[in-house]
Amino acid sequence: MKLWNKIFYRQNPQKYELKDDHLERSLRVRDLLALGLGIIVSTSIFTLPGEVAAMHTGPAVIISFIIAAVVAGMVALVYAEMAGAMPFAGSAYTWINVIFGELPGWVVGWALLAEYFIGLSFVISGISSNLKPILASIGIKFPAFLANPLGKDGGIVDILAIALLLLVMFLVSRNLSKITLVENLFVVLKIFAILLFVVVGATSIHMANFHPFIPEYHVTANGAFGGWQGIYAGVSMIFVSYIGFDAIAANSAEAIEPQKTMPLGIVGSLGIASVFFILVSLVLIGVLPYQHYAASAEPIGIALRAINHPIVATIVQLIAVLGMITAAIGLMLSGSRLIYSFSRDGMLPKVFSKLDKNKQPKNAVILISVVSMVISSVLPFSFLSQLISAGTIIAFMFVSVGLFFLRKREGKDIQQPAFKVPAYPLLPILAFVASLLVFIGLDKAAKLYTLVWFILGIAIYFVYGIRNANRD
């Protein structure tokens, strides 16, 4: 087969159905909603609203969250139709493989893999950062070289991050029904913590804290602050909060009646999460002037202690730490399915698509755990936060364009999905343009690291993937 034909070889969707047939379909709508909420409503909701307000937007952080939710919502609608038409493991990687071909699919999958590796590391680092003060309060302290990532405050390795990853790896290696039970329980606890903060904080809102709602624009050490320029910078920073809905699609092959459950899970989880983010932002700004949240990883704790609710602050933060585990479970679960999909197609060694007695791709789980273990234990939390969005936004743009090609094949070699994107073709065009604008707004470091990641991915494709890909 010629090089060009290999690069743009499009997989047969019927063969994907057969390849994924041995995966157990056990995920219901409630499980998918919990999976989506577990990832989206995670570390970010307890940190980003205050941080973005102090760095870029002031009280207008609420506008940034609404705009980011609208952009993510348009992409989520496209994802919902794709997942209904092609309910295969691997989400956007598999879809683009079917629609555009092997190399484009690999590029999109490689972009998503960065989200799962770095996103999992980011969440684990966040859990570790929040858990260490709680442990210290009961007399459990780690020496500096075991408490911090490499090069930070005398650290060599974050041993707590490693222990947390081993715990999550153990949970994800269990039967899928047991995993979803744990996930659902932790999500309920996390929603309780968020609602507790909103109800208690709402009793101490000062309207003066919202004036001026959009501060005057000026440039600071962090970049744009105030005006629509600050709101735009806030959108690009906030967008990382919403991208977790794509992890639901990675589990399409394990969903019951995916034609119905996938759209409800994807769109529903994003809609509920958006309401929570906006409520938390309103209460945070209303309780204290946004300047109080500068350089703080615990704005909710600061706000509750400031209004004399230290016990509630401790309860919320403790539940928040437990709730963050749901994001780690969801990212590891979805990332392992993506690695399984690569291996299924011959893009990675076959060992990563083998299933154990629980019908779990155990070797794929081990791989994502080990890589994330290295990243989270040696790289600082603030560094990781820059790297998550860029690759995923590129995948969103591919999927938005891919919908036009999907429509031509629906009802032919691809099944007709029960859900269709409304306002077609305008909405997918807007989804593409809005995603592009968010990408442009990311900082230069994030774009540079994304370029390096893509170069590495293309090298792996031409060294291994193109030689071993399954094209029969």
Side-chain angles (χ1 to χ4, degrees):
M1 187 180 291
K2 293 180 179 179
L3 178 63
W4 181 266
N5 293 335
K6 289 181 180 179
I7 288 174
F8 292 101
Y9 178 83
R10 294 186 298 179
Q11 286 283 355
N12 185 328
Q14 281 72 41
K15 289 185 178 179
Y16 273 137
E17 288 184 22
L18 293 174
K19 288 179 180 180
D20 292 342
D21 189 54
H22 54 292
L23 292 172
E24 181 183 1
R25 290 198 179 273
S26 60
L27 298 177
R28 302 178 185 276
V29 173
R30 65 172 181 266
D31 303 318
L32 296 170
L33 286 172
L35 178 62
L37 289 172
I39 296 174
I40 301 170
V41 184
S42 62
T43 310
S44 297
I45 198 167
F46 298 106
T47 56
L48 272 185
E51 185 180 1
V52 174
M55 288 178 61
H56 295 297
T57 65
V61 66
I62 297 155
I63 298 178
S64 292
F65 268 108
I66 292 171
I67 293 173
V70 170
V71 175
M74 290 189 293
V75 178
L77 291 170
V78 177
Y79 259 73
E81 181 169 342
M82 285 274 189
M86 294 180 284
F88 314 133
S91 68
Y93 156 70
T94 303
W95 305 337
I96 300 302
N97 214 327
V98 170
I99 294 170
F100 291 129
E102 187 173 284
L103 180 58
W106 170 257
V107 168
V108 169
W110 188 249
L112 291 175
L113 190 61
E115 177 197 342
Y116 295 131
F117 277 153
I118 300 168
L120 179 57
S121 304
F122 175 74
V123 170
I124 290 292
S125 294
I127 299 172
S128 176
S129 299
N130 282 273
L131 189 56
K132 275 179 279 198
I134 296 173
L135 293 175
S137 68
I138 58 175
I140 301 175
K141 295 184 179 180
F142 299 96
F145 73 95
L146 291 178
N148 301 303
L150 185 65
K152 182 183 179 183
D153 299 328
I156 296 177
V157 64
D158 186 345
I159 194 69
L160 186 56
I162 291 177
L164 288 165
L165 266 167
L166 289 173
L167 171 63
V168 174
M169 183 175 73
F170 171 78
L171 292 172
V172 172
S173 298
R174 302 302 93 193
N175 181 274
L176 190 59
S177 60
K178 294 179 181 178
I179 299 170
T180 54
L181 181 62
V182 173
E183 182 86 353
N184 295 353
L185 175 63
F186 281 3
V187 166
V188 170
L189 281 173
K190 185 160 52 176
I191 290 173
F192 169 76
I194 293 167
L195 294 177
L196 178 62
F197 165 72
V198 169
V199 171
V200 173
T203 63
S204 301
I205 287 177
H206 303 283
M207 296 308 296
N209 292 338
F210 293 97
H211 301 288
F213 190 68
I214 303 179
E216 186 176 347
Y217 167 70
H218 62 277
V219 178
T220 69
N222 296 315
F225 180 88
W228 287 102
Q229 297 92 327
I231 291 171
Y232 177 47
V235 170
S236 294
M237 190 172 176
I238 283 168
F239 198 71
V240 65
S241 306
Y242 291 123
I243 61 179
F245 67 82
D246 70 314
I248 300 174
N251 297 276
S252 297
E254 293 159 279
I256 297 171
E257 296 186 72
Q259 288 270 354
K260 298 178 182 178
T261 55
M262 294 309 297
L264 288 172
I266 291 170
V267 178
S269 61
L270 180 62
I272 296 169
S274 301
V275 172
F276 286 149
F277 273 109
I278 293 166
L279 286 175
V280 168
S281 301
L282 278 168
V283 174
L284 274 177
I285 302 302
V287 167
L288 279 178
Y290 63 85
Q291 295 91 341
H292 288 250
Y293 303 122
S296 171
E298 51 151 5
I300 286 178
I302 290 174
L304 288 170
R305 286 191 291 271
I307 56 176
N308 300 315
H309 287 288
I311 296 176
V312 177
T314 301
I315 292 171
V316 170
Q317 287 184 293
L318 184 58
I319 295 176
V321 169
L322 293 173
M324 289 179 196
I325 294 175
T326 63
I329 291 172
L331 287 165
M332 187 178 288
L333 191 66
S334 303
S336 64
R337 270 52 181 176
L338 180 58
I339 293 170
Y340 156 86
S341 302
F342 288 159
S343 176
R344 171 199 64 192
D345 295 341
M347 308 300 285
L348 289 179
K350 285 294 182 186
V351 66
F352 297 116
S353 58
K354 290 184 177 179
L355 303 183
D356 63 13
K357 62 181 181 180
N358 292 317
K359 294 189 176 181
Q360 298 293 307
K362 188 174 183 179
N363 294 325
V365 171
I366 292 172
L367 177 61
I368 191 171
S369 302
V370 171
V371 174
S372 299
M373 204 175 289
V374 172
I375 295 172
S376 61
S377 61
V378 301
L379 295 180
F381 182 79
S382 58
F383 181 79
L384 292 171
S385 64
Q386 300 179 48
L387 307 182
I388 304 173
S389 295
T392 309
I393 295 171
I394 291 172
F396 287 175
M397 289 190 281
F398 264 99
V399 172
S400 298
V401 173
L403 184 65
F404 294 97
F405 295 86
L406 173 68
R407 283 287 177 98
K408 296 177 182 178
R409 296 171 61 180
E410 287 176 349
K412 298 175 184 175
D413 64 329
I414 296 174
Q415 63 181 325
Q416 282 282 1
F419 175 84
K420 294 270 194 163
V421 169
Y424 179 89
L426 179 60
L427 193 141
I429 293 173
L430 291 175
F432 174 85
V433 172
S435 298
L436 178 60
L437 289 173
V438 172
F439 180 83
I440 292 170
L442 295 173
D443 62 38
K444 293 180 180 178
K447 296 170 187 172
L448 176 61
Y449 297 135
T450 301
L451 177 62
V452 173
W453 177 255
F454 276 122
I455 291 172
L456 175 62
I458 290 172
I460 291 174
Y461 172 77
F462 282 105
V463 169
Y464 184 89
I466 197 170
R467 301 171 186 271
N468 295 279
N470 297 326
R471 302 186 185 93
D472 50 6

